[in-house]
Amino acid sequence: MAYLDHEEAFEDFKERALEGIRSHFPIEGRERTLLLKGLEVEAAKDAHDDIEGQHKAKLSGATFARPVYATLALRDNATGKETVERLQVAELPVVTRRYSYIVGGQEYQVDNQWQLKPGVYTKRRQTGELETRFNITNRQDFDVTFDPATKQFKMERGKSKSIPVYPLMKAMGVDDDTLERQWGKDVLEANKQMRGAATALEQFYKADRKSAPSSRDAAASYVREALAGSELRPDATELTLGKPFKAVDGNVLTLATSKMLQVQSGKVPEDDRDNLVFKDLRSVGDYAYDKMTDWRVQRSLKAKMLRQINTASAPRQVVRTEMFNKPLLDTFRKNASVRVADQVNPVEMVSSAMATTIMGPGGIKSENAIVDEAKLINPSHLGFLDPLHTPEGSRTGVTLHLPLGVKKVGKEPMIPVYNLHTGKRDFIGPKTFMRSSVVLPDQVKWDHNQRPRPVTPSVKVSSTSNELEQQSFKDADYAMYHPSQAFSVTSNLIPFMGNNSGNRATYATSQIEQAISLEDRDAPLVQVGTGGKGVRSYEEFVGRHSAHRAPESGVVVHADKEHGIVILGKDKKQHRVQLYNNFPLNDAKSVLDSTPTVKVGDKVKAGQTVADNNFTRDGTLALGKNLTVAYIPYKGYNFEDGVVISESAADALRSVHLYKPKLKVQEGDVGSPKKFQIQHPEAYRKEQYEKLSEDGVVQVGQKVLPGDPLILNTRP
């Protein structure tokens, strides 16, 4: 999701999804044209806090979403007369306070993805062979390889692995004089005499079209059209080729092959494709846009609308809601970056929203295709990825988490820094960070005017290419605000981070996210300070995102779990805060259940905690119990990770669970308590039967004790 703020997350998703819908219009038919005049999502204030609506959607297998309305005009091409209608064309899933999306009754979370930018990248393969990858999004990718023994360049395109490159460059208008200056005479001659050079254009054509061209001229024309139509990102090629290019042309091929020779000779380094300057950060909105603009979807929807457009008298006869709704919901149903939310505890929920991966649509398809280099910490990660917060096993280094403060702008991650030249707060991306001198956060102290002062005249900085070095403070460009900027929400909950080893910190992030709620929980006595104003600790920070707060200042006029908390505001209007009431989560051990911390008549201020859930205490994250402990040997039973504890300590750590018993009922089964009692008169007591409904299922609101029946069933 890449956003901690729910409103920002929904706005990004909404804008990208609407952009995808707009791409389908206008639809021009022979008799009529369908125009899009307006597109909007029905507003719903604080929809992410509509707990009752979310609960209903989960139980009924529905989608928790807002309707998308389009104002469409059907224009008569001959007269210019328009028929205008406002129609619902889709429904947009709303992000919940749990950072999830409810689609078809299931709660999903969406991983953020690092995707290589369209560009030209030179690197050695694991076999040692030198390649230049032409990463193309709108056309077919291809590679150019160099054999130092034969001094020849070959192209790998589709199933064709050895298409001579020289004839393709000639077709793109590159002359021999240019190639001799760039390659040298011996390399040029080797490529001129390369086997298969005479049929290279035909090989390229066959690799794409799966058939032979009608003539050599047709093959040459296709080569020029296919390569010139292969889009590149200027910001990526400027870094790798020295110049910005929007598409593949003769200059791109010349510079790319020349660079390969320089890399082969050791004059210039390989391109670091794992560097974040070459990556786009994609989130749910980008996936939705991709689904809506996929060429198959574009072709299918256009064909459906064209079948109706010339005989239709109104837009509703051309457009149906399911047309756009299906690809939009496929963002969640058919997407490798989407998974059923784990929902163990609030920390895990926040953490999952900030998780990133290099796998998924448009990225690496299989774990087997991930090379070891892609799992390693890259210098460009500083400030943009937490190096500690990663799972164990095959996903180590593949799944990483965004640190606090990272802001997604378009497809680029941005972090806040202090501009030492202007004295203002700036947001910069990986490219600016890499090209600048950034003072590390522990090298400065902040005065009462919130201006950085160096601890010593010479400070540790992240300099060009993110190399750490000592430098004069006056020569630096930016300063990071706080060490927490390097770590995720979960990592920042670890006390005394500076005194922990990396491995132990990584284990700690997993343990925090696996904690289940306790019946008698405490906010920790030792909390991790934020170093800023307002929220004092990260435990308070997570608690504020999880517990319930007053939307307005006023007086509490109602407070209970079932109906929530009602506040009579200063505007004389009633403001209702919905509470969790045994809200089922995806994790089999977890549940969300709220308890008011205010009573009728209490005066509250906007933002004040008015109810805890079963993971908070007084609005602060409370995942454990503060115990007075002493470690002593006990009859040899204390060994490594095995610790003997007292029964009173075990009672203090009693956890809270939501149990979901199910029974498959067959035809002829009897669930009536009266009939069950006749068959099994000694099974239960009268007061136990009174807790059940007539169909033999325990009634909502009943307090059950160990041994009480939850579902009665008997069969002949």
PDB file of all heavy atoms in Angstrom, residues 188-207:
ATOM      1  N   LEU A 188      34.431  -4.288 -35.575  1.00  0.00           N
ATOM      2  CA  LEU A 188      33.518  -4.031 -36.692  1.00  0.00           C
ATOM      3  C   LEU A 188      33.646  -5.118 -37.748  1.00  0.00           C
ATOM      4  O   LEU A 188      32.630  -5.660 -38.228  1.00  0.00           O
ATOM      5  CB  LEU A 188      33.812  -2.657 -37.298  1.00  0.00           C
ATOM      6  CG  LEU A 188      33.002  -2.292 -38.556  1.00  0.00           C
ATOM      7  CD1 LEU A 188      31.509  -2.302 -38.269  1.00  0.00           C
ATOM      8  CD2 LEU A 188      33.432  -0.934 -39.097  1.00  0.00           C
ATOM      9  N   GLU A 189      34.867  -5.459 -38.128  1.00  0.00           N
ATOM     10  CA  GLU A 189      35.073  -6.494 -39.153  1.00  0.00           C
ATOM     11  C   GLU A 189      34.550  -7.851 -38.685  1.00  0.00           C
ATOM     12  O   GLU A 189      33.974  -8.604 -39.471  1.00  0.00           O
ATOM     13  CB  GLU A 189      36.562  -6.585 -39.509  1.00  0.00           C
ATOM     14  CG  GLU A 189      37.092  -5.395 -40.268  1.00  0.00           C
ATOM     15  CD  GLU A 189      36.357  -5.157 -41.585  1.00  0.00           C
ATOM     16  OE1 GLU A 189      36.049  -6.155 -42.271  1.00  0.00           O
ATOM     17  OE2 GLU A 189      36.076  -3.991 -41.908  1.00  0.00           O
ATOM     18  N   ALA A 190      34.752  -8.162 -37.408  1.00  0.00           N
ATOM     19  CA  ALA A 190      34.270  -9.446 -36.880  1.00  0.00           C
ATOM     20  C   ALA A 190      32.753  -9.549 -36.979  1.00  0.00           C
ATOM     21  O   ALA A 190      32.207 -10.621 -37.274  1.00  0.00           O
ATOM     22  CB  ALA A 190      34.719  -9.614 -35.435  1.00  0.00           C
ATOM     23  N   ASN A 191      32.058  -8.438 -36.754  1.00  0.00           N
ATOM     24  CA  ASN A 191      30.594  -8.450 -36.816  1.00  0.00           C
ATOM     25  C   ASN A 191      30.081  -8.411 -38.253  1.00  0.00           C
ATOM     26  O   ASN A 191      29.005  -8.946 -38.543  1.00  0.00           O
ATOM     27  CB  ASN A 191      30.030  -7.278 -36.017  1.00  0.00           C
ATOM     28  CG  ASN A 191      30.018  -7.555 -34.519  1.00  0.00           C
ATOM     29  OD1 ASN A 191      29.083  -8.111 -33.978  1.00  0.00           O
ATOM     30  ND2 ASN A 191      31.116  -7.175 -33.854  1.00  0.00           N
ATOM     31  N   LYS A 192      30.838  -7.776 -39.160  1.00  0.00           N
ATOM     32  CA  LYS A 192      30.446  -7.782 -40.570  1.00  0.00           C
ATOM     33  C   LYS A 192      30.468  -9.201 -41.136  1.00  0.00           C
ATOM     34  O   LYS A 192      29.624  -9.579 -41.948  1.00  0.00           O
ATOM     35  CB  LYS A 192      31.412  -6.900 -41.384  1.00  0.00           C
ATOM     36  CG  LYS A 192      31.100  -5.425 -41.375  1.00  0.00           C
ATOM     37  CD  LYS A 192      32.065  -4.710 -42.322  1.00  0.00           C
ATOM     38  CE  LYS A 192      31.716  -3.243 -42.477  1.00  0.00           C
ATOM     39  NZ  LYS A 192      32.624  -2.560 -43.443  1.00  0.00           N
ATOM     40  N   GLN A 193      31.466  -9.969 -40.714  1.00  0.00           N
ATOM     41  CA  GLN A 193      31.661 -11.316 -41.256  1.00  0.00           C
ATOM     42  C   GLN A 193      30.948 -12.391 -40.436  1.00  0.00           C
ATOM     43  O   GLN A 193      31.149 -13.578 -40.657  1.00  0.00           O
ATOM     44  CB  GLN A 193      33.156 -11.620 -41.315  1.00  0.00           C
ATOM     45  CG  GLN A 193      33.945 -10.660 -42.200  1.00  0.00           C
ATOM     46  CD  GLN A 193      35.442 -10.800 -42.020  1.00  0.00           C
ATOM     47  OE1 GLN A 193      35.920 -11.781 -41.447  1.00  0.00           O
ATOM     48  NE2 GLN A 193      36.191  -9.814 -42.500  1.00  0.00           N
ATOM     49  N   MET A 194      30.114 -11.981 -39.523  1.00  0.00           N
ATOM     50  CA  MET A 194      29.451 -12.924 -38.625  1.00  0.00           C
ATOM     51  C   MET A 194      28.518 -13.860 -39.386  1.00  0.00           C
ATOM     52  O   MET A 194      27.784 -13.436 -40.291  1.00  0.00           O
ATOM     53  CB  MET A 194      28.659 -12.152 -37.562  1.00  0.00           C
ATOM     54  CG  MET A 194      28.026 -13.018 -36.506  1.00  0.00           C
ATOM     55  SD  MET A 194      27.237 -11.968 -35.252  1.00  0.00           S
ATOM     56  CE  MET A 194      26.458 -13.220 -34.234  1.00  0.00           C
ATOM     57  N   ARG A 195      28.528 -15.094 -39.020  1.00  0.00           N
ATOM     58  CA  ARG A 195      27.659 -16.089 -39.657  1.00  0.00           C
ATOM     59  C   ARG A 195      26.193 -15.748 -39.392  1.00  0.00           C
ATOM     60  O   ARG A 195      25.818 -15.457 -38.263  1.00  0.00           O
ATOM     61  CB  ARG A 195      27.981 -17.472 -39.097  1.00  0.00           C
ATOM     62  CG  ARG A 195      27.162 -18.585 -39.720  1.00  0.00           C
ATOM     63  CD  ARG A 195      27.559 -19.914 -39.105  1.00  0.00           C
ATOM     64  NE  ARG A 195      26.773 -20.992 -39.655  1.00  0.00           N
ATOM     65  CZ  ARG A 195      26.864 -22.271 -39.272  1.00  0.00           C
ATOM     66  NH1 ARG A 195      27.734 -22.597 -38.317  1.00  0.00           N
ATOM     67  NH2 ARG A 195      26.103 -23.197 -39.831  1.00  0.00           N
ATOM     68  N   GLY A 196      25.393 -15.765 -40.422  1.00  0.00           N
ATOM     69  CA  GLY A 196      23.963 -15.473 -40.290  1.00  0.00           C
ATOM     70  C   GLY A 196      23.627 -14.010 -40.459  1.00  0.00           C
ATOM     71  O   GLY A 196      22.456 -13.624 -40.364  1.00  0.00           O
ATOM     72  N   ALA A 197      24.638 -13.171 -40.724  1.00  0.00           N
ATOM     73  CA  ALA A 197      24.384 -11.735 -40.851  1.00  0.00           C
ATOM     74  C   ALA A 197      23.449 -11.425 -42.011  1.00  0.00           C
ATOM     75  O   ALA A 197      22.642 -10.499 -41.952  1.00  0.00           O
ATOM     76  CB  ALA A 197      25.705 -10.984 -41.016  1.00  0.00           C
ATOM     77  N   ALA A 198      23.539 -12.224 -43.090  1.00  0.00           N
ATOM     78  CA  ALA A 198      22.726 -11.962 -44.279  1.00  0.00           C
ATOM     79  C   ALA A 198      21.237 -12.166 -44.026  1.00  0.00           C
ATOM     80  O   ALA A 198      20.390 -11.578 -44.710  1.00  0.00           O
ATOM     81  CB  ALA A 198      23.187 -12.856 -45.427  1.00  0.00           C
ATOM     82  N   THR A 199      20.900 -12.986 -43.034  1.00  0.00           N
ATOM     83  CA  THR A 199      19.475 -13.270 -42.755  1.00  0.00           C
ATOM     84  C   THR A 199      19.029 -12.734 -41.404  1.00  0.00           C
ATOM     85  O   THR A 199      17.991 -13.139 -40.880  1.00  0.00           O
ATOM     86  CB  THR A 199      19.231 -14.795 -42.796  1.00  0.00           C
ATOM     87  OG1 THR A 199      20.055 -15.432 -41.798  1.00  0.00           O
ATOM     88  CG2 THR A 199      19.544 -15.360 -44.182  1.00  0.00           C
ATOM     89  N   ALA A 200      19.788 -11.825 -40.814  1.00  0.00           N
ATOM     90  CA  ALA A 200      19.471 -11.313 -39.468  1.00  0.00           C
ATOM     91  C   ALA A 200      18.107 -10.640 -39.413  1.00  0.00           C
ATOM     92  O   ALA A 200      17.347 -10.824 -38.452  1.00  0.00           O
ATOM     93  CB  ALA A 200      20.557 -10.344 -39.019  1.00  0.00           C
ATOM     94  N   LEU A 201      17.781  -9.839 -40.437  1.00  0.00           N
ATOM     95  CA  LEU A 201      16.496  -9.138 -40.431  1.00  0.00           C
ATOM     96  C   LEU A 201      15.341 -10.132 -40.472  1.00  0.00           C
ATOM     97  O   LEU A 201      14.325  -9.961 -39.783  1.00  0.00           O
ATOM     98  CB  LEU A 201      16.417  -8.179 -41.619  1.00  0.00           C
ATOM     99  CG  LEU A 201      17.521  -7.112 -41.710  1.00  0.00           C
ATOM    100  CD1 LEU A 201      17.315  -6.235 -42.934  1.00  0.00           C
ATOM    101  CD2 LEU A 201      17.534  -6.260 -40.456  1.00  0.00           C
ATOM    102  N   GLU A 202      15.501 -11.171 -41.286  1.00  0.00           N
ATOM    103  CA  GLU A 202      14.460 -12.200 -41.373  1.00  0.00           C
ATOM    104  C   GLU A 202      14.326 -12.967 -40.055  1.00  0.00           C
ATOM    105  O   GLU A 202      13.220 -13.316 -39.628  1.00  0.00           O
ATOM    106  CB  GLU A 202      14.776 -13.168 -42.523  1.00  0.00           C
ATOM    107  CG  GLU A 202      14.622 -12.571 -43.913  1.00  0.00           C
ATOM    108  CD  GLU A 202      15.842 -11.781 -44.367  1.00  0.00           C
ATOM    109  OE1 GLU A 202      16.770 -11.561 -43.536  1.00  0.00           O
ATOM    110  OE2 GLU A 202      15.866 -11.366 -45.542  1.00  0.00           O
ATOM    111  N   GLN A 203      15.456 -13.221 -39.380  1.00  0.00           N
ATOM    112  CA  GLN A 203      15.413 -13.913 -38.086  1.00  0.00           C
ATOM    113  C   GLN A 203      14.643 -13.085 -37.049  1.00  0.00           C
ATOM    114  O   GLN A 203      13.854 -13.618 -36.273  1.00  0.00           O
ATOM    115  CB  GLN A 203      16.835 -14.171 -37.574  1.00  0.00           C
ATOM    116  CG  GLN A 203      17.638 -15.183 -38.373  1.00  0.00           C
ATOM    117  CD  GLN A 203      19.032 -15.349 -37.796  1.00  0.00           C
ATOM    118  OE1 GLN A 203      19.196 -15.672 -36.619  1.00  0.00           O
ATOM    119  NE2 GLN A 203      20.048 -15.117 -38.620  1.00  0.00           N
ATOM    120  N   PHE A 204      14.901 -11.778 -37.037  1.00  0.00           N
ATOM    121  CA  PHE A 204      14.188 -10.872 -36.117  1.00  0.00           C
ATOM    122  C   PHE A 204      12.688 -10.920 -36.398  1.00  0.00           C
ATOM    123  O   PHE A 204      11.873 -11.025 -35.468  1.00  0.00           O
ATOM    124  CB  PHE A 204      14.728  -9.450 -36.310  1.00  0.00           C
ATOM    125  CG  PHE A 204      14.181  -8.439 -35.337  1.00  0.00           C
ATOM    126  CD1 PHE A 204      14.933  -8.033 -34.247  1.00  0.00           C
ATOM    127  CD2 PHE A 204      12.917  -7.886 -35.504  1.00  0.00           C
ATOM    128  CE1 PHE A 204      14.447  -7.094 -33.348  1.00  0.00           C
ATOM    129  CE2 PHE A 204      12.416  -6.949 -34.616  1.00  0.00           C
ATOM    130  CZ  PHE A 204      13.178  -6.555 -33.534  1.00  0.00           C
ATOM    131  N   TYR A 205      12.330 -10.850 -37.670  1.00  0.00           N
ATOM    132  CA  TYR A 205      10.915 -10.873 -38.064  1.00  0.00           C
ATOM    133  C   TYR A 205      10.247 -12.166 -37.603  1.00  0.00           C
ATOM    134  O   TYR A 205       9.166 -12.156 -37.013  1.00  0.00           O
ATOM    135  CB  TYR A 205      10.817 -10.727 -39.583  1.00  0.00           C
ATOM    136  CG  TYR A 205       9.407 -10.578 -40.117  1.00  0.00           C
ATOM    137  CD1 TYR A 205       8.900  -9.323 -40.429  1.00  0.00           C
ATOM    138  CD2 TYR A 205       8.586 -11.683 -40.324  1.00  0.00           C
ATOM    139  CE1 TYR A 205       7.613  -9.169 -40.934  1.00  0.00           C
ATOM    140  CE2 TYR A 205       7.298 -11.551 -40.812  1.00  0.00           C
ATOM    141  CZ  TYR A 205       6.815 -10.291 -41.118  1.00  0.00           C
ATOM    142  OH  TYR A 205       5.532 -10.151 -41.606  1.00  0.00           O
ATOM    143  N   LYS A 206      10.902 -13.292 -37.853  1.00  0.00           N
ATOM    144  CA  LYS A 206      10.342 -14.591 -37.467  1.00  0.00           C
ATOM    145  C   LYS A 206      10.220 -14.732 -35.950  1.00  0.00           C
ATOM    146  O   LYS A 206       9.283 -15.359 -35.451  1.00  0.00           O
ATOM    147  CB  LYS A 206      11.226 -15.721 -38.008  1.00  0.00           C
ATOM    148  CG  LYS A 206      11.137 -15.926 -39.512  1.00  0.00           C
ATOM    149  CD  LYS A 206      12.041 -17.078 -39.939  1.00  0.00           C
ATOM    150  CE  LYS A 206      11.993 -17.294 -41.431  1.00  0.00           C
ATOM    151  NZ  LYS A 206      12.900 -18.406 -41.864  1.00  0.00           N
ATOM    152  N   ALA A 207      11.173 -14.163 -35.196  1.00  0.00           N
ATOM    153  CA  ALA A 207      11.127 -14.260 -33.731  1.00  0.00           C
ATOM    154  C   ALA A 207       9.865 -13.614 -33.181  1.00  0.00           C
ATOM    155  O   ALA A 207       9.306 -14.078 -32.181  1.00  0.00           O
ATOM    156  CB  ALA A 207      12.362 -13.601 -33.129  1.00  0.00           C
TER     157      ALA A 207
END
